[in-house]
Amino acid sequence: MKKTIQSVGVWGDSIMKGVLFNPEKNRYTLLKNNCIKRASEKLGLTFQNHSTMGRTITKGHEILTKDLAKDATNDIAIIEFGGNDCDFNWTEVSENPTAEHIPSTPLDIFETQLLEMIARLKKLDIKPILMTLPPLHAKRYFDFITRDGLSKERILHFLGGDVQMIYRWQERYSNTISRIATETGSHIIDIRDSFLSEFHYENLLCADGIHPNEAGHIQMSRKFIQYASFH
């Protein structure tokens, strides 16, 4: 990042919030020394983290708009959405696997929302930086969503008999983010590639198969710092 950069705003979901799944407590907890905190300390920049667990891009766009109306002084805005958007209502899928099910945010709406966010930021002379999605671990995530009684057989039927469909479906959203970054001339931090460069990227994920663990947050912070050193 150039020396003129002072303040970075972050809008995202639980990944950027630093939410971890604790299998011993069987609940989600918050990692205080998350990737944002680590990067902030290393780079000497102020990060304002507006991320919240469970947030989709539509809600994130609403919050971004409200936040910018109050304060548009950030030099950079990191945008990280997609993990909740690509997800299905697995209870409904388990109850009726042959019905039509749509994700929380259909891909075309996800794309439109992301484009509008980028345009809004650029209009305010705030540099948007997009983030690809950390790769989920399909088998681990499948076991997680079915751990409390949802039908593995019915959900697997919905997935066409291939649990890896969960991975490929999420990857479509990450690929869309990459494409939009290219089309809009926006910078991108490729977290997905950083994880996939590890022979066992699952070691960077929590037991739920989707949230980066502490090692994952260290990996993410390194990617942020690496990006900063070249821009």
Side-chain angles (χ1 to χ4, degrees), residues 119-134:
R120 188 179 300 278
L121 289 164
K122 287 186 174 181
K123 189 175 181 180
L124 293 170
D125 199 29
I126 300 173
K127 182 180 180 179
I129 300 178
L130 310 187
M131 265 183 59
T132 54
L133 303 178

Side-chain angles (χ1 to χ4, degrees), residues 185-199:
S186 303
H187 284 206
I188 190 163
I189 299 177
D190 197 352
I191 294 296
R192 193 177 194 86
D193 182 70
S194 176
F195 275 50
L196 290 176
S197 68
E198 301 291 329
F199 284 179

Side-chain angles (χ1 to χ4, degrees), residues 68-113:
L68 293 177
K70 297 175 185 176
D71 179 12
T73 59
N74 288 132
D75 303 297
I76 284 175
I78 297 177
I79 306 299
E80 177 272 319
F81 291 102
N84 295 305
D85 298 278
C86 71
D87 209 18
F88 290 89
N89 185 322
W90 297 112
T91 299
E92 293 181 358
V93 172
S94 177
E95 291 171 351
N96 191 354
T98 59
E100 181 181 2
H101 297 281
I102 60 174
S104 297
T105 308
L107 194 55
D108 59 336
I109 296 177
F110 179 81
E111 180 173 348
T112 299
Q113 291 287 322

Side-chain angles (χ1 to χ4, degrees), residues 153-165:
E153 293 76 12
R154 291 182 178 182
I155 292 177
L156 191 59
H157 178 79
F158 168 74
L159 296 171
D162 182 6
V163 71
Q164 293 302 322
M165 181 60 195

